[in-house]
Amino acid sequence: MDDTDSPVTRGIPKTYVSPTNEWYSWRPSPRLDKNVHVLLTLDATQYPLGIRKLITEKDPDVRWVWTNTRFNMLYTNMGHGDKIFTSPVQNRLFENGILWLLGKTSRGELTRPVAVAQVTH
């Protein structure tokens, strides 16, 4: 857990076991972008068999969740496979992220003004 104070990660343990997933690495590292704020990072010691020895960097570029500080944007590097929604902890993370994007708390209260586009035909 890189940021325990974010509304997205609030209530999520500092460490937890994620369901089996497909992970991506990023080059260059998202941390190099001043507008990216990393919230969660995969623990390199827990990489799946087969790639654990291929990733040798101290701070590998496998980021789970980050936000862009210029926009209301949330990126998650999880969601592949039939077991992804079997973790209550990870489901809470998804729920927190959706509520944060909507500008709401878990009780449905607005946390900031939300721009709504009106479409007319």
Side-chain angles (χ1 to χ4, degrees):
M1 180 77 60
D2 292 65
D3 182 351
T4 57
D5 294 326
S6 167
V8 176
T9 58
R10 194 165 294 135
I12 305 297
K14 287 188 178 190
T15 63
Y16 72 94
V17 177
S18 173
T20 302
N21 211 323
E22 177 181 343
W23 305 112
Y24 297 103
S25 62
W26 297 93
R27 301 275 192 267
S29 171
R31 289 189 198 273
L32 299 176
D33 185 329
K34 66 180 179 173
N35 297 311
V36 169
H37 179 71
V38 176
L39 302 177
L40 287 156
T41 306
L42 183 64
D43 179 358
T45 64
Q46 300 300 313
Y47 285 154
L49 289 171
I51 68 165
R52 189 176 302 156
K53 292 182 180 181
L54 296 177
I55 301 173
T56 58
E57 298 93 4
K58 183 177 182 189
D59 185 27
D61 297 315
V62 180
R63 309 286 175 241
W64 277 18
V65 181
W66 70 71
T67 61
N68 187 303
T69 59
R70 294 179 54 208
F71 312 102
N72 289 338
M73 182 218 99
L74 180 69
Y75 173 84
T76 63
N77 188 8
M78 51 188 99
H80 300 85
D82 59 350
K83 294 183 172 73
I84 196 62
F85 295 111
T86 60
S87 166
V89 174
Q90 194 160 277
N91 290 346
R92 172 79 185 267
L93 183 69
F94 290 141
E95 180 182 329
N96 287 354
I98 291 167
L99 289 170
W100 176 77
L101 288 167
L102 293 172
K104 295 186 176 189
T105 68
S106 60
R107 295 180 303 279
E109 302 159 339
L110 286 176
T111 60
R112 66 182 186 290
V114 178
V116 178
Q118 183 175 2
V119 179
T120 58
H121 297 284

